[in-house]
Amino acid sequence: MTSLLSIRDLTKQFDGTPVLEDVSLELAHGEFKVIMGPSGCGKSTLLRCINRLIEPTSGVIEFNGQDIMQASTDVSWLRQQIGFVFQQFALFRHLTVLENVSLALRKLRGFNRLETSTRALTELSKFGMAEFADKFPAELSGGQKQRVAIARALAMDPQVLLMDEPTSALDPVKSREVAQLLSGLNQQGVTIICVTHDLSLAESLLQDVTFVHSGRIHAVGSVASLAQRVEDPVLQHFFGHR
Ligand SMILES: Nc1ncnc2c1ncn2[C@@H]1O[C@H](COP(=O)(O)OP(=O)(O)OP(=O)(O)O)[C@@H](O)[C@H]1O
Ligand SMILES: [Mg+2]
């Protein structure tokens, strides 16, 4: 079976400085992939390449077997298929919760006003946020903003959800809650790539971790198995002080 997403030998340089080097990974339908690594190792850059917010230097990214780097790729279509929840959620401050979720439905999916608000409210209510529909982002807590950002991404009915540091704007005890939310979505069939440097989140997700170091995939395994690799100074440095 072809992968939903296939990344091969992906390289990205910023001003000649390599940030991603020969990154290859496959994502199957329904998979939940957790990508970990220290700050600055290239995690956000990798996600941004996948939905073409930045152009890779070399390599191939295929989505459902189709090369997405082709000039002919419809980027709006691609971003409907690949939902992205940003590190800082990136809600529009001057729009209400409902308007935040509605905007792309109207602009990218061409829904009319009624379809849009029905769809947006349905998605918000799945995350317990319908009663906040008329609030502005500044009136929400970090966890509430995050749920709005996830609802906004899922309202587009994407084939895969990219999550960038879902706990970075939340207090540490929220990790387990976020883990439950994401695991629940995955059990409902949502394919997810979750990028994080939050060890407690990675541990609560109970998935194998793809560990990135200096722009390369360094190791793959459970948090416990990576932490036990005492001969590996990179892994020891990251996992050793648990
Ligand atoms: N637009 C850019 N121009 C130049 N350098 C960049 C750009 N974006 C990222 N970088 C550099 O690329 C490296 C990787 O950045 P990236 O944001 O991908 O890291 P990250 O793993 O997501 O880190 P964090 O865990 O802190 O979010 C960093 O050294 C960063 O300074
Ligand atoms: Mg990042």
Side-chain angles (χ1 to χ4, degrees):
M1 201 180 94
T2 53
S3 299
L4 181 57
L5 196 64
S6 176
I7 299 177
R8 296 195 294 277
D9 305 323
L10 191 73
T11 298
K12 176 63 186 176
Q13 297 179 354
F14 286 114
D15 306 322
T17 306
V19 168
L20 293 176
E21 294 190 78
D22 297 328
V23 170
S24 296
L25 53 88
E26 303 286 322
L27 182 75
H29 287 271
E31 192 176 341
F32 188 169
K33 195 175 285 292
V34 180
I35 299 178
M36 270 202 104
S39 190
C41 73
K43 303 179 301 295
S44 296
T45 302
L46 173 63
L47 291 188
R48 291 200 187 102
C49 287
I50 294 172
N51 82 342
R52 281 197 51 178
L53 288 166
I54 54 180
E55 211 63 26
T57 305
S58 64
V60 177
I61 304 179
E62 284 177 358
F63 180 68
N64 276 322
Q66 184 187 331
D67 180 353
I68 64 159
M69 239 82 80
Q70 300 279 327
S72 58
T73 301
D74 179 345
V75 176
S76 296
W77 171 85
L78 187 73
R79 292 183 190 155
Q80 276 174 45
Q81 308 302 313
I82 303 178
F84 200 144
V85 178
F86 292 90
Q87 203 156 349
Q88 299 299 331
F89 313 143
L91 297 175
F92 298 109
R93 282 188 305 178
H94 61 292
L95 298 182
T96 65
V97 163
L98 185 66
E99 289 163 349
N100 261 283
V101 179
S102 299
L103 190 67
L105 286 171
R106 298 208 54 170
K107 291 221 159 136
L108 296 180
R109 306 269 325 243
F111 284 15
N112 69 28
R113 199 174 285 274
L114 183 65
E115 287 167 338
T116 297
S117 63
T118 307
R119 179 71 184 247
L121 281 170
T122 303
E123 208 58 52
L124 282 168
S125 59
K126 286 186 199 163
F127 296 94
M129 291 305 294
E131 62 187 287
F132 296 88
D134 297 326
K135 300 260 189 232
F136 287 89
E139 300 173 272
L140 305 179
S141 72
Q144 291 167 339
K145 277 186 252 194
Q146 185 192 47
R147 282 184 276 156
V148 173
I150 295 173
R152 180 173 66 177
L154 291 179
M156 300 296 286
D157 204 14
Q159 293 198 45
V160 52
L161 184 65
L162 308 183
M163 299 281 310
D164 195 358
E165 300 286 358
T167 52
S168 67
L170 307 179
D171 64 67
V173 292
K174 282 274 190 292
S175 289
R176 198 175 293 271
E177 239 172 85
V178 172
Q180 279 167 358
L181 177 79
L182 295 180
S183 301
L185 285 175
N186 181 244
Q187 273 153 26
Q188 289 161 33
V190 182
T191 306
I192 300 174
I193 300 182
C194 175
V195 147
T196 186
H197 58 223
D198 179 346
L199 194 48
S200 57
L201 174 65
E203 280 184 306
S204 345
L205 287 172
L206 306 173
Q207 304 286 335
D208 274 1
V209 161
T210 300
F211 187 80
V212 177
H213 175 69
S214 297
R216 289 179 185 276
I217 295 181
H218 181 81
V220 179
S222 67
V223 171
S225 73
L226 296 180
Q228 278 162 12
R229 285 170 53 174
V230 289
E231 77 294 351
D232 186 321
V234 166
L235 294 176
Q236 277 307 295
H237 183 71
F238 193 83
F239 294 99
H241 309 294
R242 289 193 307 146

